[in-house]
Amino acid sequence: MSKPIVAIVGRPNVGKSTFFNKIVGRRVSIVEDTPGVTRDRIYAEAEWNGAHFALIDTGGIEPNTDDIILSQMREQAQVAMDMADVILFITDGKDGLTHADREVAMMLMRTGKRVILVVNKIDKPSSLPDDFYDFYELGLGVPIPISAANMLNFGDVLDEIVASFPEDADTEEEDVTKIAIIGKPNVGKSSLVNCLLGEKRVIVSPIAGTTRDSIDTPFEYNGEKYTLIDTAGIRRKSKVHEDIERYSVIRAVAAIERSDICVLMIDAVEGLTDQDKKIVGVAHEAGKGIIVAVNKWDLIEKETNTMRDYKKALEADLQFMSYAPIIFISVQENKRVNQVMELAKYVSEKRALRVPTGQLNSLIMDATMMKQPPSDKGKRLKIYYVTQVSVKPPLFSFQINKRDLMHFSYARYLENKIRESFGFEGTSIKFVFREKGEKGE
């Protein structure tokens, strides 16, 4: 089930990244007093009063500009608006209403989406400046005054966001496994979809970036229902001089959010790129099933250990998701393409796997005896009880004596032990640590 998506849009330097960082509770976006500094849309999961949603920070919109940076941010923000359920339009209370704000408002009204108007940099919402009321001219309803830096009136904004979600946002969808095909342009994503479907439903072109939007195609494989999501590729870094952040395409992030399993397609000749790692990192953090498919393997000159060495190098670069299976395919020659669906079915089953509580606690007890838990200032970590609380992705709750004693390396050790015993190939597994007496969600 996909969460509602909230896109934060607005002109450069109005405080979008500051608002985003405060909501998600950590500095994810760059915050700098220079217009246009956030050139990635940054994605994170957020929650308010039990409602979970995906929050996307966009680059600033600068209407009618020929500047390559600002015009590309406008294009990318348009994509975010297209796929969002709710749009948060942030303006600058110190600048007052600008001509650019009016043009952005017209863009937003054309989307037909629910738009929440926020006026930032109002440090005293109880004493509004006279030009605050100019924002009513935008025709987007009552503007909400906030201070992102001080988190003033955040509750009002979040209440509006949650109240704007579609009524069916929390309803369960049909039991269909959604598979997102992600990767850079021209690695063969659309060709893979066509090969799996056995017919050319998706336009295939050798020109990078032909697929402008994600395309969902339902189909059946061995009697089970699936939906293939073919995404626009991750575009390369623009040829610009500013050394801040590279671009990535929000369509891929939105597709990941809607998917159960992601197939990262890599060009065997070009190899793994930073864009590949960044986008598959989003899938990993979101707890999706992940398969790495190295395409165009027919173009690689082979020696005795070519595949083994290539795989070993990939695993070294993707250590953070060592659980993901790697397959080598040639869509052009239809070699090993059927393994994609076989692996997708297998990974889907692993994401839904439940471990009996008794077996789980027995394993953890043995693990702590084999490797003593960490200690600090004479106090040692104690694990009282472990239970699996959910699936897709598998989530395990640990009741412990002191959260600060659970070192990252020991948590990784416990994860490895769980994987050794129960598998979970192709899926991340999540841990939550609660001190004795704490209540769960």
Side-chain angles (χ1 to χ4, degrees):
M1 182 180 65
S2 59
K3 294 180 287 294
I5 295 175
V6 179
I8 306 173
V9 302
R11 294 185 294 107
N13 204 33
V14 295
K16 299 185 303 299
S17 297
T18 302
F19 180 88
F20 176 88
N21 293 331
K22 295 286 187 179
I23 293 295
V24 301
R26 59 189 185 276
R27 283 179 61 94
V28 179
S29 297
I30 297 174
V31 178
E32 184 176 308
D33 194 22
T34 303
V37 74
T38 305
R39 296 213 300 274
D40 272 328
R41 263 97 51 236
I42 307 297
Y43 161 97
E45 297 183 13
E47 180 269 338
W48 179 249
N49 286 341
H52 294 261
F53 56 95
L55 190 66
I56 295 173
D57 179 23
T58 72
I61 304 172
E62 189 72 22
N64 300 328
T65 176
D66 294 327
D67 184 282
I68 186 172
I69 302 293
L70 297 179
S71 63
Q72 289 194 24
M73 285 193 297
R74 178 180 58 190
E75 177 187 349
Q76 294 179 29
Q78 180 65 55
V79 177
M81 292 187 293
D82 288 343
M83 39 67 64
D85 296 292
V86 179
I87 300 167
L88 193 66
F89 179 26
I90 297 186
T91 58
D92 189 324
K94 289 186 176 178
D95 289 347
L97 182 62
T98 67
H99 177 70
D101 288 328
R102 290 186 173 93
E103 293 199 29
V104 172
M106 291 180 65
M107 288 175 60
L108 298 180
M109 291 179 72
R110 286 196 294 267
T111 67
K113 303 289 181 68
R114 171 72 168 99
V115 180
I116 298 170
L117 175 60
V118 171
V119 183
N120 189 26
K121 305 180 185 179
I122 304 292
D123 296 327
K124 293 182 179 180
S126 58
S127 179
L128 297 174
D130 291 340
D131 57 1
F132 170 84
Y133 299 96
D134 294 343
F135 288 96
Y136 280 86
E137 296 176 19
L138 297 179
L140 295 173
V142 178
I144 304 176
I146 70 164
S147 169
N150 301 318
M151 297 186 70
L152 293 177
N153 275 4
F154 268 35
D156 290 349
V157 176
L158 289 166
D159 284 344
E160 283 292 318
I161 288 173
V162 172
S164 301
F165 290 156
E167 292 183 3
D168 60 350
D170 295 325
T171 60
E172 290 294 334
E173 298 175 352
E174 186 182 3
D175 189 20
V176 176
T177 301
K178 295 183 174 63
I179 305 171
I181 313 297
I182 59 177
K184 300 189 307 299
N186 211 27
V187 293
K189 299 185 303 299
S190 296
S191 297
L192 174 61
V193 172
N194 290 335
C195 194
L196 293 174
L197 296 173
E199 58 181 290
K200 292 195 173 184
R201 296 192 188 182
V202 180
I203 296 173
V204 177
S205 166
I207 302 172
T210 298
T211 308
R212 295 292 302 276
D213 298 292
S214 62
I215 301 170
D216 292 10
T217 308
F219 76 113
E220 288 193 13
Y221 180 81
N222 288 346
E224 297 191 27
K225 293 182 178 180
Y226 296 88
T227 296
L228 283 176
I229 305 172
D230 177 31
T231 66
I234 306 162
R235 301 189 183 277
R236 302 174 191 278
K237 185 176 181 179
S238 299
K239 295 179 180 178
V240 294
H241 298 292
E242 291 88 348
D243 183 20
I244 306 173
E245 287 253 337
R246 66 176 50 86
Y247 288 101
S248 63
V249 174
I250 202 62
R251 291 183 183 92
V253 177
I256 288 169
E257 172 55 39
R258 293 192 294 117
S259 71
D260 301 299
I261 297 170
C262 297
V263 178
L264 173 67
M265 290 194 72
I266 296 172
D267 186 314
V269 178
E270 186 174 354
L272 187 73
T273 67
D274 288 339
Q275 290 102 320
D276 292 326
K277 287 191 279 190
K278 181 165 188 174
I279 204 69
V280 82
V282 173
H284 166 74
E285 291 179 5
K288 306 300 180 179
I290 300 175
I291 299 166
V292 179
V294 182
N295 190 28
K296 306 182 185 179
W297 191 242
D298 54 300
L299 302 181
I300 299 294
E301 290 189 19
K302 317 294 193 302
E303 295 181 358
T304 305
N305 297 315
T306 302
M307 186 179 289
R308 185 199 66 182
D309 293 343
Y310 198 109
K311 184 176 181 180
K312 188 177 295 185
L314 263 184
E315 289 172 341
D317 284 336
L318 297 173
Q319 288 184 8
F320 65 94
M321 39 169 271
S322 57
Y323 55 83
I326 300 171
I327 56 174
F328 296 82
I329 67 175
S330 170
V331 177
Q332 184 71 28
E333 298 186 355
N334 198 13
K335 289 184 177 178
R336 291 185 288 274
V337 173
N338 63 316
Q339 290 185 18
V340 174
M341 289 309 303
E342 295 298 330
L343 271 175
K345 183 177 186 299
Y346 178 74
V347 170
S348 181
E349 291 170 351
K350 292 299 181 182
R351 292 187 77 234
L353 179 64
R354 282 194 179 272
V355 178
T357 302
Q359 292 182 30
L360 181 60
N361 281 273
S362 178
L363 170 69
I364 298 300
M365 184 181 297
D366 290 345
T368 57
M369 292 177 66
M370 292 173 61
K371 183 176 181 179
Q372 200 171 44
S375 63
D376 183 49
K377 298 178 182 178
K379 194 169 185 67
R380 188 168 299 282
L381 171 70
K382 294 181 181 178
I383 301 175
Y384 301 115
Y385 189 75
V386 188
T387 184
Q388 183 178 352
V389 295
S390 64
V391 297
K392 299 181 181 181
L395 173 64
F396 297 89
S397 177
F398 288 70
Q399 191 176 74
I400 60 178
N401 60 333
K402 190 170 175 61
R403 190 179 290 105
D404 292 344
L405 294 174
M406 179 59 80
H407 193 272
F408 169 80
S409 61
Y410 199 75
R412 176 59 60 87
Y413 162 73
L414 296 176
E415 177 182 339
N416 290 338
K417 287 297 179 184
I418 290 175
R419 288 190 182 279
E420 287 174 15
S421 296
F422 304 110
F424 294 111
E425 292 89 353
T427 183
S428 62
I429 60 177
K430 307 287 187 181
F431 289 170
V432 59
F433 301 105
R434 306 191 190 283
E435 294 183 2
K436 198 169 184 178
E438 279 187 343
K439 292 183 178 180
E441 293 182 356

